[in-house]
Amino acid sequence: MHYYLWTIGCQMNFADSRKAAEELAQLGYQEANQPQDADLILLNTCVVRQNAEDKVVGRLTSLQGLKRRKPEIKLALMGCFVDEIPELQHRYPWVDAFIKPSDIPAVVELARQKDIQDFIPEFPVAQDHPPVSVGVPISYGCDHLCTYCIVRLRRGPEVSRPVDEIVSEVQDLARRGVKEVTLLGQNVDSYGHDLAGMDRGTAGSQWSPDLADLLEAVHQVEGLARIRFLTSHPVDMTERLIETAARLPKVCEHMEVPVQSGDDAVLRRMSRGYTVAEYRTLIARIRELMPGVGLATDVIVGFPGETEAQFEATYRLLEDLRFDMVHVAAYSPRPDTPAERLPDDVPPAEKERRRKALDQLQSDIAAKLNSGLLGQTVEVLIEGQRKGRWWGRTRTGKLVFFEDEADRHGHLAQVRITWTGPWSLIGAPAKAIDSQ
Ligand code: SAM
């Protein structure tokens, strides 16, 4: 039995797909490289912007012919595309199952329906090369009501997983050779607020764990070398969280703190809950407590009513704050969001001009920041090999390639940087600092 898995979207989707793939492997499935070789096709989808939704529809349409020729193949659609199921069934009758985001048990149930009991091996199928870095969802959904965002509508309000459950998953991953975990959520900084009613030990007191507590707990997992977390929300990032992240040696100096706009009026219309000045103060504090931190942010250009001056304010903010990475998106109206009711009055060509201007600015900034690493030795966790070169990331999240005869999979290595570009670095091994 074979499955074909196609994933687009956020890291949460990729984490869901990894879990689905693991479950399918336990059931005796192997991965197919193309849909026509599969018994089960799973499309894990995103609708955060119109172009992501278009890709999903394109994929679904292209699979219609295959389903006609081979109706025995099961086709399942999972993720944020899945909204009103009866309507989707009507529109895409060749799809066998619609599965809500993160509903892995539903994938398992569908895979079991394939009458494959004879194929289920007595022992779980062993994976040949365990992944080095894995995303671990710590909360599902989101409690913020950003006016442009469809995620809350598709994924629901925030639900945190209990600390013990997350820690035991990370322990299991570490036992299987995983060296780095990224704790994932739409907004990790508000982790735990819904886990009320736990006793901290002092008589009668009630306590909810927060992300700082979770970092402390995950930090104790043996065999784990690195911890990251994303995505943060500026409103929920506390001093305690920054201080804890800075203090714990396994927590990497790397944060993703979306700003979305450099103009207060636009931020208000987006319902982001902070001003540009408050955001600047937060970034300054992170940099103070975590010197050399790698910082990433998200920006939307062409939000309804965004004037040239408001766009320029965003441009200047990025110029000033000099992030390591900026994800720039052109605003895309999403069904049933409050912003959908505002006139989408920045023409597509102007959105594209603004997007390209920020991309160009960021490319120049990243090139300059990275050139400062030339000749320096950095710690790289090696995640795999691509075109004959090993690749991995620095603690600050930068992608590094280097050549080495030895098998370096999963090792922490010291790499001396010999070439830098805006998006990646090339180096040569200085020395291995651990051996598995
Ligand atoms: N929770 C984070 C935050 O603070 O916003 C990020 C998660 S969000 C799902 C991923 C990114 O997609 C956002 O940061 C935003 O830049 C972008 N995005 C969301 N809705 C969008 C829309 N309607 N049009 C364009 N970009 C959008």
Side-chain angles (χ1 to χ4, degrees), residues 48-49 148-149 151 186-187 231-233 258 260 272 298-300 329-332 334:
V48 76
R49 282 181 287 278
Y148 51 80
C149 190
V151 169
Q186 301 301 328
N187 172 20
T231 308
S232 289
H233 192 294
Q260 309 300 3
R272 290 291 291 175
D298 292 0
V299 169
I300 297 176
Y331 170 69
S332 163
R334 301 287 61 215

PDB file of all heavy atoms in Angstrom, residues 48-49 148-149 151 186-187 231-233 258 260 272 298-300 329-332 334, ligand 1:
ATOM      1  N   VAL A  48      -4.646  30.671   3.426  1.00  0.00           N
ATOM      2  CA  VAL A  48      -4.341  31.942   4.092  1.00  0.00           C
ATOM      3  C   VAL A  48      -4.361  33.107   3.099  1.00  0.00           C
ATOM      4  O   VAL A  48      -4.700  34.233   3.455  1.00  0.00           O
ATOM      5  CB  VAL A  48      -3.012  31.838   4.886  1.00  0.00           C
ATOM      6  CG1 VAL A  48      -1.805  31.892   3.969  1.00  0.00           C
ATOM      7  CG2 VAL A  48      -2.926  32.896   5.955  1.00  0.00           C
ATOM      8  N   ARG A  49      -4.017  32.809   1.843  1.00  0.00           N
ATOM      9  CA  ARG A  49      -4.137  33.813   0.771  1.00  0.00           C
ATOM     10  C   ARG A  49      -4.779  33.145  -0.438  1.00  0.00           C
ATOM     11  O   ARG A  49      -4.745  31.921  -0.578  1.00  0.00           O
ATOM     12  CB  ARG A  49      -2.750  34.357   0.382  1.00  0.00           C
ATOM     13  CG  ARG A  49      -2.217  35.369   1.358  1.00  0.00           C
ATOM     14  CD  ARG A  49      -0.867  35.910   0.948  1.00  0.00           C
ATOM     15  NE  ARG A  49       0.191  34.936   1.130  1.00  0.00           N
ATOM     16  CZ  ARG A  49       0.800  34.685   2.276  1.00  0.00           C
ATOM     17  NH1 ARG A  49       0.466  35.360   3.358  1.00  0.00           N
ATOM     18  NH2 ARG A  49       1.734  33.781   2.365  1.00  0.00           N
ATOM     19  N   TYR A 148      -7.815  40.532   8.907  1.00  0.00           N
ATOM     20  CA  TYR A 148      -7.542  39.968   7.574  1.00  0.00           C
ATOM     21  C   TYR A 148      -7.481  38.449   7.576  1.00  0.00           C
ATOM     22  O   TYR A 148      -7.412  37.831   6.523  1.00  0.00           O
ATOM     23  CB  TYR A 148      -6.186  40.504   7.068  1.00  0.00           C
ATOM     24  CG  TYR A 148      -5.074  40.312   8.092  1.00  0.00           C
ATOM     25  CD1 TYR A 148      -4.447  39.079   8.246  1.00  0.00           C
ATOM     26  CD2 TYR A 148      -4.689  41.346   8.934  1.00  0.00           C
ATOM     27  CE1 TYR A 148      -3.465  38.899   9.203  1.00  0.00           C
ATOM     28  CE2 TYR A 148      -3.716  41.172   9.889  1.00  0.00           C
ATOM     29  CZ  TYR A 148      -3.112  39.935  10.015  1.00  0.00           C
ATOM     30  OH  TYR A 148      -2.170  39.748  10.979  1.00  0.00           O
ATOM     31  N   CYS A 149      -7.473  37.829   8.749  1.00  0.00           N
ATOM     32  CA  CYS A 149      -7.001  36.438   8.859  1.00  0.00           C
ATOM     33  C   CYS A 149      -8.141  35.418   8.897  1.00  0.00           C
ATOM     34  O   CYS A 149      -9.101  35.555   9.653  1.00  0.00           O
ATOM     35  CB  CYS A 149      -6.125  36.298  10.094  1.00  0.00           C
ATOM     36  SG  CYS A 149      -5.289  34.715  10.147  1.00  0.00           S
ATOM     37  N   VAL A 151      -7.501  32.175   9.562  1.00  0.00           N
ATOM     38  CA  VAL A 151      -7.067  30.991  10.307  1.00  0.00           C
ATOM     39  C   VAL A 151      -8.009  30.652  11.465  1.00  0.00           C
ATOM     40  O   VAL A 151      -8.393  29.509  11.661  1.00  0.00           O
ATOM     41  CB  VAL A 151      -5.608  31.156  10.794  1.00  0.00           C
ATOM     42  CG1 VAL A 151      -5.228  30.076  11.785  1.00  0.00           C
ATOM     43  CG2 VAL A 151      -4.669  31.109   9.603  1.00  0.00           C
ATOM     44  N   GLN A 186      -0.242  28.876  16.181  1.00  0.00           N
ATOM     45  CA  GLN A 186      -0.508  30.128  15.462  1.00  0.00           C
ATOM     46  C   GLN A 186      -0.001  31.292  16.300  1.00  0.00           C
ATOM     47  O   GLN A 186       0.436  32.297  15.779  1.00  0.00           O
ATOM     48  CB  GLN A 186      -2.012  30.282  15.176  1.00  0.00           C
ATOM     49  CG  GLN A 186      -2.609  29.171  14.349  1.00  0.00           C
ATOM     50  CD  GLN A 186      -1.955  29.010  12.991  1.00  0.00           C
ATOM     51  OE1 GLN A 186      -1.491  29.981  12.405  1.00  0.00           O
ATOM     52  NE2 GLN A 186      -1.894  27.798  12.487  1.00  0.00           N
ATOM     53  N   ASN A 187      -0.107  31.139  17.626  1.00  0.00           N
ATOM     54  CA  ASN A 187       0.410  32.146  18.549  1.00  0.00           C
ATOM     55  C   ASN A 187       0.923  31.427  19.798  1.00  0.00           C
ATOM     56  O   ASN A 187       0.188  31.221  20.754  1.00  0.00           O
ATOM     57  CB  ASN A 187      -0.697  33.133  18.913  1.00  0.00           C
ATOM     58  CG  ASN A 187      -0.271  34.081  19.998  1.00  0.00           C
ATOM     59  OD1 ASN A 187       0.924  34.267  20.238  1.00  0.00           O
ATOM     60  ND2 ASN A 187      -1.224  34.673  20.675  1.00  0.00           N
ATOM     61  N   THR A 231       4.738  30.698  16.002  1.00  0.00           N
ATOM     62  CA  THR A 231       5.014  32.101  15.808  1.00  0.00           C
ATOM     63  C   THR A 231       4.582  32.862  17.060  1.00  0.00           C
ATOM     64  O   THR A 231       3.606  32.516  17.712  1.00  0.00           O
ATOM     65  CB  THR A 231       4.190  32.638  14.626  1.00  0.00           C
ATOM     66  OG1 THR A 231       4.390  31.830  13.483  1.00  0.00           O
ATOM     67  CG2 THR A 231       4.587  34.050  14.270  1.00  0.00           C
ATOM     68  N   SER A 232       5.307  33.959  17.322  1.00  0.00           N
ATOM     69  CA  SER A 232       4.980  34.796  18.470  1.00  0.00           C
ATOM     70  C   SER A 232       3.996  35.887  18.061  1.00  0.00           C
ATOM     71  O   SER A 232       3.897  36.239  16.888  1.00  0.00           O
ATOM     72  CB  SER A 232       6.252  35.455  18.994  1.00  0.00           C
ATOM     73  OG  SER A 232       7.067  34.479  19.603  1.00  0.00           O
ATOM     74  N   HIS A 233       3.284  36.417  19.053  1.00  0.00           N
ATOM     75  CA  HIS A 233       2.453  37.600  18.804  1.00  0.00           C
ATOM     76  C   HIS A 233       2.958  38.709  19.729  1.00  0.00           C
ATOM     77  O   HIS A 233       3.084  38.490  20.933  1.00  0.00           O
ATOM     78  CB  HIS A 233       0.971  37.311  19.092  1.00  0.00           C
ATOM     79  CG  HIS A 233       0.070  38.395  18.571  1.00  0.00           C
ATOM     80  ND1 HIS A 233       0.085  39.675  19.082  1.00  0.00           N
ATOM     81  CD2 HIS A 233      -0.835  38.406  17.579  1.00  0.00           C
ATOM     82  CE1 HIS A 233      -0.784  40.426  18.422  1.00  0.00           C
ATOM     83  NE2 HIS A 233      -1.359  39.675  17.498  1.00  0.00           N
ATOM     84  N   PRO A 258       5.742  38.620  14.088  1.00  0.00           N
ATOM     85  CA  PRO A 258       5.124  39.356  12.978  1.00  0.00           C
ATOM     86  C   PRO A 258       4.717  40.773  13.373  1.00  0.00           C
ATOM     87  O   PRO A 258       4.077  40.969  14.405  1.00  0.00           O
ATOM     88  CB  PRO A 258       3.865  38.530  12.652  1.00  0.00           C
ATOM     89  CG  PRO A 258       4.133  37.182  13.217  1.00  0.00           C
ATOM     90  CD  PRO A 258       4.985  37.409  14.432  1.00  0.00           C
ATOM     91  N   GLN A 260       3.460  43.060  10.703  1.00  0.00           N
ATOM     92  CA  GLN A 260       2.386  43.261   9.706  1.00  0.00           C
ATOM     93  C   GLN A 260       2.361  44.641   9.066  1.00  0.00           C
ATOM     94  O   GLN A 260       2.122  44.754   7.878  1.00  0.00           O
ATOM     95  CB  GLN A 260       0.987  42.921  10.277  1.00  0.00           C
ATOM     96  CG  GLN A 260       0.879  41.565  10.960  1.00  0.00           C
ATOM     97  CD  GLN A 260       1.181  40.356  10.078  1.00  0.00           C
ATOM     98  OE1 GLN A 260       1.535  40.508   8.930  1.00  0.00           O
ATOM     99  NE2 GLN A 260       1.063  39.151  10.617  1.00  0.00           N
ATOM    100  N   ARG A 272      -4.494  44.597  15.457  1.00  0.00           N
ATOM    101  CA  ARG A 272      -3.315  43.886  15.958  1.00  0.00           C
ATOM    102  C   ARG A 272      -3.075  44.124  17.446  1.00  0.00           C
ATOM    103  O   ARG A 272      -2.388  43.334  18.097  1.00  0.00           O
ATOM    104  CB  ARG A 272      -2.077  44.307  15.161  1.00  0.00           C
ATOM    105  CG  ARG A 272      -2.060  43.800  13.744  1.00  0.00           C
ATOM    106  CD  ARG A 272      -1.870  42.301  13.679  1.00  0.00           C
ATOM    107  NE  ARG A 272      -0.526  41.884  14.090  1.00  0.00           N
ATOM    108  CZ  ARG A 272      -0.162  40.612  14.207  1.00  0.00           C
ATOM    109  NH1 ARG A 272      -1.020  39.630  13.987  1.00  0.00           N
ATOM    110  NH2 ARG A 272       1.061  40.303  14.576  1.00  0.00           N
ATOM    111  N   ASP A 298       6.696  39.113   9.758  1.00  0.00           N
ATOM    112  CA  ASP A 298       5.767  39.033   8.622  1.00  0.00           C
ATOM    113  C   ASP A 298       5.213  40.425   8.366  1.00  0.00           C
ATOM    114  O   ASP A 298       4.952  41.174   9.325  1.00  0.00           O
ATOM    115  CB  ASP A 298       4.541  38.157   8.956  1.00  0.00           C
ATOM    116  CG  ASP A 298       4.871  36.692   9.139  1.00  0.00           C
ATOM    117  OD1 ASP A 298       6.053  36.328   9.007  1.00  0.00           O
ATOM    118  OD2 ASP A 298       3.932  35.913   9.414  1.00  0.00           O
ATOM    119  N   VAL A 299       4.998  40.734   7.097  1.00  0.00           N
ATOM    120  CA  VAL A 299       4.429  42.027   6.710  1.00  0.00           C
ATOM    121  C   VAL A 299       3.365  41.799   5.650  1.00  0.00           C
ATOM    122  O   VAL A 299       3.536  40.956   4.769  1.00  0.00           O
ATOM    123  CB  VAL A 299       5.538  42.962   6.153  1.00  0.00           C
ATOM    124  CG1 VAL A 299       4.941  44.185   5.494  1.00  0.00           C
ATOM    125  CG2 VAL A 299       6.491  43.387   7.249  1.00  0.00           C
ATOM    126  N   ILE A 300       2.271  42.549   5.755  1.00  0.00           N
ATOM    127  CA  ILE A 300       1.260  42.541   4.691  1.00  0.00           C
ATOM    128  C   ILE A 300       1.301  43.913   4.013  1.00  0.00           C
ATOM    129  O   ILE A 300       1.220  44.939   4.706  1.00  0.00           O
ATOM    130  CB  ILE A 300      -0.151  42.291   5.261  1.00  0.00           C
ATOM    131  CG1 ILE A 300      -0.219  40.897   5.907  1.00  0.00           C
ATOM    132  CG2 ILE A 300      -1.207  42.432   4.174  1.00  0.00           C
ATOM    133  CD1 ILE A 300      -1.553  40.585   6.581  1.00  0.00           C
ATOM    134  N   ALA A 329       3.807  39.605   2.261  1.00  0.00           N
ATOM    135  CA  ALA A 329       2.660  39.096   1.513  1.00  0.00           C
ATOM    136  C   ALA A 329       1.818  40.266   1.035  1.00  0.00           C
ATOM    137  O   ALA A 329       1.651  41.260   1.751  1.00  0.00           O
ATOM    138  CB  ALA A 329       1.813  38.187   2.403  1.00  0.00           C
ATOM    139  N   ALA A 330       1.279  40.135  -0.182  1.00  0.00           N
ATOM    140  CA  ALA A 330       0.312  41.123  -0.671  1.00  0.00           C
ATOM    141  C   ALA A 330      -1.035  40.766  -0.042  1.00  0.00           C
ATOM    142  O   ALA A 330      -1.404  39.585   0.015  1.00  0.00           O
ATOM    143  CB  ALA A 330       0.226  41.060  -2.183  1.00  0.00           C
ATOM    144  N   TYR A 331      -1.750  41.768   0.435  1.00  0.00           N
ATOM    145  CA  TYR A 331      -3.047  41.517   1.073  1.00  0.00           C
ATOM    146  C   TYR A 331      -3.988  40.792   0.104  1.00  0.00           C
ATOM    147  O   TYR A 331      -4.099  41.135  -1.065  1.00  0.00           O
ATOM    148  CB  TYR A 331      -3.683  42.834   1.529  1.00  0.00           C
ATOM    149  CG  TYR A 331      -5.123  42.632   1.970  1.00  0.00           C
ATOM    150  CD1 TYR A 331      -5.423  41.926   3.136  1.00  0.00           C
ATOM    151  CD2 TYR A 331      -6.184  43.101   1.183  1.00  0.00           C
ATOM    152  CE1 TYR A 331      -6.744  41.705   3.503  1.00  0.00           C
ATOM    153  CE2 TYR A 331      -7.494  42.884   1.556  1.00  0.00           C
ATOM    154  CZ  TYR A 331      -7.768  42.181   2.717  1.00  0.00           C
ATOM    155  OH  TYR A 331      -9.067  41.943   3.083  1.00  0.00           O
ATOM    156  N   SER A 332      -4.661  39.801   0.653  1.00  0.00           N
ATOM    157  CA  SER A 332      -5.595  39.001  -0.134  1.00  0.00           C
ATOM    158  C   SER A 332      -6.895  38.884   0.672  1.00  0.00           C
ATOM    159  O   SER A 332      -6.878  38.370   1.794  1.00  0.00           O
ATOM    160  CB  SER A 332      -4.927  37.633  -0.340  1.00  0.00           C
ATOM    161  OG  SER A 332      -5.817  36.654  -0.733  1.00  0.00           O
ATOM    162  N   ARG A 334     -10.065  37.595   2.359  1.00  0.00           N
ATOM    163  CA  ARG A 334     -10.448  36.213   2.691  1.00  0.00           C
ATOM    164  C   ARG A 334     -11.913  36.158   3.097  1.00  0.00           C
ATOM    165  O   ARG A 334     -12.392  37.043   3.818  1.00  0.00           O
ATOM    166  CB  ARG A 334      -9.578  35.666   3.835  1.00  0.00           C
ATOM    167  CG  ARG A 334      -8.095  35.639   3.593  1.00  0.00           C
ATOM    168  CD  ARG A 334      -7.632  34.548   2.615  1.00  0.00           C
ATOM    169  NE  ARG A 334      -8.171  34.629   1.296  1.00  0.00           N
ATOM    170  CZ  ARG A 334      -8.472  33.562   0.529  1.00  0.00           C
ATOM    171  NH1 ARG A 334      -8.287  32.363   0.980  1.00  0.00           N
ATOM    172  NH2 ARG A 334      -8.948  33.702  -0.680  1.00  0.00           N
TER     173      ARG A 334
HETATM  174  N1  SAM B   1       0.069  34.283  14.216  1.00  0.00           N
HETATM  175  C1  SAM B   1       0.982  35.060  13.470  1.00  0.00           C
HETATM  176  C2  SAM B   1       0.573  36.533  13.540  1.00  0.00           C
HETATM  177  O1  SAM B   1       0.943  37.178  14.540  1.00  0.00           O
HETATM  178  O2  SAM B   1      -0.067  37.053  12.640  1.00  0.00           O
HETATM  179  C3  SAM B   1       1.256  34.523  12.058  1.00  0.00           C
HETATM  180  C4  SAM B   1       0.380  33.418  11.469  1.00  0.00           C
HETATM  181  S1  SAM B   1      -0.459  33.847   9.959  1.00  0.00           S
HETATM  182  C5  SAM B   1      -1.427  32.479   9.688  1.00  0.00           C
HETATM  183  C6  SAM B   1       0.788  33.803   8.755  1.00  0.00           C
HETATM  184  C7  SAM B   1       0.952  35.091   7.984  1.00  0.00           C
HETATM  185  O3  SAM B   1       0.135  35.105   6.839  1.00  0.00           O
HETATM  186  C8  SAM B   1       0.575  36.341   8.729  1.00  0.00           C
HETATM  187  O4  SAM B   1       1.579  36.748   9.588  1.00  0.00           O
HETATM  188  C9  SAM B   1       0.289  37.334   7.628  1.00  0.00           C
HETATM  189  O5  SAM B   1       1.428  38.101   7.316  1.00  0.00           O
HETATM  190  C10 SAM B   1      -0.117  36.447   6.462  1.00  0.00           C
HETATM  191  N2  SAM B   1      -1.551  36.605   6.169  1.00  0.00           N
HETATM  192  C11 SAM B   1      -2.596  36.167   6.888  1.00  0.00           C
HETATM  193  N3  SAM B   1      -3.754  36.519   6.314  1.00  0.00           N
HETATM  194  C12 SAM B   1      -3.428  37.190   5.197  1.00  0.00           C
HETATM  195  C13 SAM B   1      -4.194  37.833   4.166  1.00  0.00           C
HETATM  196  N4  SAM B   1      -5.516  37.845   4.198  1.00  0.00           N
HETATM  197  N5  SAM B   1      -3.538  38.413   3.146  1.00  0.00           N
HETATM  198  C14 SAM B   1      -2.194  38.411   3.105  1.00  0.00           C
HETATM  199  N6  SAM B   1      -1.419  37.843   4.040  1.00  0.00           N
HETATM  200  C15 SAM B   1      -2.031  37.246   5.079  1.00  0.00           C
END
